[in-house]
Amino acid sequence: MNAPNNLMLSLEGTLRGLSNGSLIPYLGAEAVLLDAANAALPVGHPELIARLHRKVPIPARLRTNLTAAAQYIETFRHRKMLRSIMNECFAQPAIPSLLHRWLAGLRPALIVDLGYDGATGTALSEGRSWGQVQGVSRAESRAGQGIEWVRYYDAAGTLCDDSAAEGWNTLLYKPLGSVAPAGNFLVSDADFVEVLTEIDLQTPIPPEVQRRRATRGFVFLGCRFDNQLARTYARQLMKRSAGPHFALIEGPLTRNELQFVAEQGITVIPASVRHLLATLCTTIA
């Protein structure tokens, strides 16, 4: 069988896994750019650093590292300033792409989304019985709440108790937070210090997320594993899940990425998300 046929079968298999619920969609920040209307959103690290720098001049030595650049603002201009800038950066409502709308229509048990935008939530809002859990900064923990790793929001965007998540058909997990509904952001060095210390023990990962992943694998869409933070979150989310795992990555992988996918048993499908959507459209037709 030739390479194009193998690729088509791989894409069709991915669609089947997403459709029957055996695969959990894991969306990278750049998935929102599948809709051209969202082109102005600073979803890449270089673009987001540039936006931060426009508001608060950041030393050149820090302008290649997002968490360090954000930490500079938090340290010298206060956390409130950093949060305000992040809210402004993502104030433009993100339009759900075909991918977001299709995934929402499947009503999967779990969607993981690393973007700060609200596109997935907007797509889910057209359906019923869903809610989201978002990572929150320790700097913004509420008094009397102890260690607060995450916050839960129902479909209306109302803060709720974690027990509500057990009844949701679809749980949207935003590990890094989101502009909607409450402007939660994990972005600075300080935000990640304790999370990365505890994540190997799975402490920051919500119990309901752990439960829903246990019998499923992941498919990474719009993700690269070219930095330590991305690899850490992917590794810890896959831990204690059933597998198998797939990643759509077009173009050559870096040495670190090759090592990571080999260690984690991730099957790389050499195609973009747009190829997957084209296959979806062909299948529907």
Side-chain angles (χ1 to χ4, degrees):
M1 188 175 293
N2 59 33
N5 286 339
N6 281 333
L7 176 59
M8 180 62 70
L9 289 175
S10 296
L11 293 173
E12 290 175 349
T14 300
L15 291 173
R16 281 195 301 273
L18 290 168
S19 297
N20 64 30
S22 63
L23 292 177
I24 298 166
Y26 187 117
L27 306 182
E30 295 192 3
V32 72
L33 298 182
L34 289 167
D35 193 300
N38 301 321
L41 291 173
V43 298
H45 285 197
E47 293 79 15
L48 186 49
I49 292 170
R51 291 283 189 93
L52 296 176
H53 180 59
R54 286 183 208 168
K55 295 295 182 179
V56 176
I58 298 168
R61 70 181 186 280
L62 303 178
R63 293 204 296 269
T64 57
N65 184 314
L66 174 59
T67 62
Q71 185 61 50
Y72 179 85
I73 296 175
E74 182 171 327
T75 300
F76 292 100
R77 296 294 297 275
H78 203 273
R79 176 73 191 188
K80 290 182 179 179
M81 172 65 78
L82 176 60
R83 186 166 181 248
S84 174
I85 296 172
M86 289 294 292
N87 274 313
E88 184 178 333
C89 285
F90 292 93
Q92 172 190 325
I95 305 301
S97 69
L98 173 59
L99 175 67
H100 293 98
R101 296 195 303 273
W102 180 67
L103 290 175
L106 295 176
R107 299 184 180 179
L110 177 64
I111 300 176
V112 180
D113 183 356
L114 296 188
Y116 294 120
D117 62 88
T120 307
T122 300
L124 287 168
S125 67
E126 299 172 5
R128 297 180 180 178
S129 186
W130 74 279
Q132 59 183 308
V133 55
Q134 300 183 358
V136 295
S137 171
R138 292 293 302 281
E140 296 171 18
S141 291
R142 295 169 294 170
Q145 296 297 313
I147 296 177
E148 195 174 23
W149 299 108
V150 297
R151 289 179 191 160
Y152 293 78
Y153 300 90
D154 64 18
T158 303
L159 187 66
C160 61
D161 189 75
D162 59 353
S163 61
E166 298 175 9
W168 296 335
N169 289 340
T170 297
L171 176 61
L172 171 60
Y173 179 35
K174 303 276 283 186
L176 307 186
S178 174
V179 67
N184 298 313
F185 301 103
L186 270 70
V187 64
S188 70
D189 284 340
D191 289 338
F192 291 108
V193 168
E194 292 191 49
V195 173
L196 296 182
T197 299
E198 293 288 331
I199 199 168
D200 192 52
L201 301 175
Q202 302 287 284
T203 310
I205 300 175
E208 188 63 18
V209 171
Q210 296 185 40
R211 185 184 72 79
R212 295 185 187 217
R213 75 180 175 189
T215 58
R216 301 174 172 92
F218 286 91
V219 56
F220 296 88
L221 304 168
C223 296
R224 294 298 298 251
F225 308 114
D226 52 3
N227 65 76
Q228 188 61 40
L229 197 59
R231 292 192 292 272
T232 297
Y233 270 92
R235 180 186 296 111
Q236 297 304 329
L237 262 295
M238 286 186 291
K239 184 182 286 187
R240 300 172 191 164
S241 64
H245 309 300
F246 303 90
L248 270 67
I249 301 178
E250 189 176 33
L253 276 68
T254 66
R255 181 172 59 85
N256 284 336
E257 286 180 309
L258 288 168
Q259 181 179 348
F260 178 76
V261 298
E263 288 176 349
Q264 299 301 313
I266 300 172
T267 299
V268 175
I269 300 173
S272 69
V273 179
R274 294 187 187 280
H275 289 129
L276 182 72
L277 293 175
T279 304
L280 171 64
C281 292
T282 300
T283 302
I284 294 173

